[in-house]
Amino acid sequence: LISAVLNLSTVLKRVTAWTPLRFTSRTKASIQYRHALFSTSDDSEPTSLEPYLNPDNRNDQVFAAISGNGSLKVTVATTRNLVNENIMAHEMSEVPADALGRLMTCGLLIGNGMQDEQVLQISVDGDGPLRGAVSITSGEGECRGYVGNPALSQIPLTESIGLVGTVQVVKNHPSWPNPYNGITSIRTGEIDADLGAYLAESEQRSCALAAGTVVKGVLCSAAGGYIVEQLPGCDEDTIKIVEKNLARLVEENGDNQLTSVPTGLLSCGKTPVDIANMILDGLDMKPLGQVSPVMKCKCSTERLFRSVRLLDRSDVDDILEKQEILEARCHFCGKVYRMSPDEVQQRFEEARGDPTLDEDFEEELTEKKEDN
């Protein structure tokens, strides 16, 4: 890896930093795909920003734009509603809500431009009392996640995560023979900073990544983040311009240790389009597209029973004998499922295929839908 391309000011380094860069054929191909995905037929015509406006950040939004010379991509997200849904689903206190909110926001930012069926899973597994956090995001913006200890008391976020552990990233698509796996060590306990280190080490992506939330009690009043990615052909003049723009953005956000970038701006009504405009000021911003993130879980009674089939039948019978009912709670959405002994027995009699094989499970689901 070559040396970092930017030396940001001290205050800027506190919230975001550029990672070293080395473009591989895989990186270039991915960038070319994402650019083609959102390109218009006539780049000479100015594109209206009206479809991307989001007054007062009423709706969750992930907005992507590119500089006029095609050398910088900026993605900005506002995710307040998503965080509030997860707070209610998991009954989380402030620190776990902050951790999961940041992680899910980073997942949306890093995964922007994925194909609809592609999935990005990020796991932060540290030695702190939070006991880890997981976020899963699809290319369509569907998100779900959980933390190990949703009722954690009020302690610093870095302390809750811990400084010993790993950041793991898994990318998958139904057509891929095998998923892509990447892993790096936790460096700081700051989720966005540690994910930035992962992007540099495992994916060779040069970027500035920042994410944060404002959570008080059981309410998130602001949440979001941004990622600025340097693409091939980015010259020194462009770098200097975006460095100044980022420094100004941090200044306008407020130099407050309790207000992480860009939540100060979001709290004041700045939208993802506004923040992208600030970052690409003087660089002829061109919108690429937007995604509306939603909390969506894939849990179901069928998936629960698939897990039951993976157990020894004697263990299942023992559970039913002691508890008289089979009960399970989804980690991702908090929904509780219950199955009586008669229902379990009936499902065992009707079950077909190998529960360890995804294709057998999907085929069985399809057959049941057709029967209904």
Side-chain angles (χ1 to χ4, degrees), residues 189-253:
E190 294 284 354
I191 290 173
D192 47 2
D194 287 333
L195 280 170
Y198 160 80
L199 292 173
E201 293 178 358
S202 297
E203 298 191 13
Q204 293 80 48
R205 290 167 65 178
S206 178
C207 62
L209 175 64
T213 72
V214 178
V215 181
K216 292 184 179 179
V218 294
L219 178 67
C220 174
S221 58
Y226 64 78
I227 184 170
V228 185
E229 299 183 74
Q230 182 187 340
L231 306 182
C234 188
D235 56 38
E236 290 296 325
D237 291 339
T238 301
I239 291 172
K240 290 179 181 179
I241 292 173
V242 77
E243 181 185 71
K244 291 180 180 179
N245 291 345
L246 284 170
R248 186 167 60 250
L249 181 148
V250 172
E251 184 178 352
E252 291 191 24
N253 184 78

Side-chain angles (χ1 to χ4, degrees), residues 88-108:
M88 290 187 290
H90 299 291
E91 300 179 348
M92 291 188 293
S93 56
E94 294 179 16
V95 175
D98 183 28
L100 186 57
R102 292 179 189 236
L103 188 63
M104 297 182 84
T105 299
C106 286
L108 287 164

Side-chain angles (χ1 to χ4, degrees), residues 275-294:
I275 294 172
N277 254 322
M278 294 172 67
I279 297 172
L280 292 175
D281 184 31
L283 296 172
D284 186 24
M285 183 186 82
K286 296 182 181 298
L288 294 176
Q290 65 180 338
V291 173
S292 299
V294 293

Side-chain angles (χ1 to χ4, degrees), residues 25 38 55 59 116 164 170 204 235:
S25 57
F38 295 111
N59 302 314
D116 287 350
V164 178
V170 179
Q204 293 80 48
D235 56 38

Side-chain angles (χ1 to χ4, degrees), residues 25 30 50 87 89 223 257 280 294 301 318 335 340:
S25 57
S30 177
E50 187 174 351
I87 289 175
Q257 294 284 349
L280 292 175
V294 293
T301 303
D318 184 56
K335 184 175 181 179
S340 67

Side-chain angles (χ1 to χ4, degrees), residues 90-100 124 126 128-134 146-155 157 159-161 329 331:
H90 299 291
E91 300 179 348
M92 291 188 293
S93 56
E94 294 179 16
V95 175
D98 183 28
L100 186 57
V124 177
L130 185 65
R131 300 204 299 270
V134 176
Y146 67 89
V147 294
N149 184 359
L152 185 63
S153 59
Q154 192 71 13
I155 61 174
L157 178 62
E159 184 180 332
S160 71
I161 292 173
R329 183 177 186 273
H331 277 302

Side-chain angles (χ1 to χ4, degrees), residues 32-44:
Q32 289 167 358
Y33 164 75
R34 292 198 299 270
H35 193 195
L37 185 64
F38 295 111
S39 293
T40 59
S41 58
D42 185 359
D43 290 338
S44 63

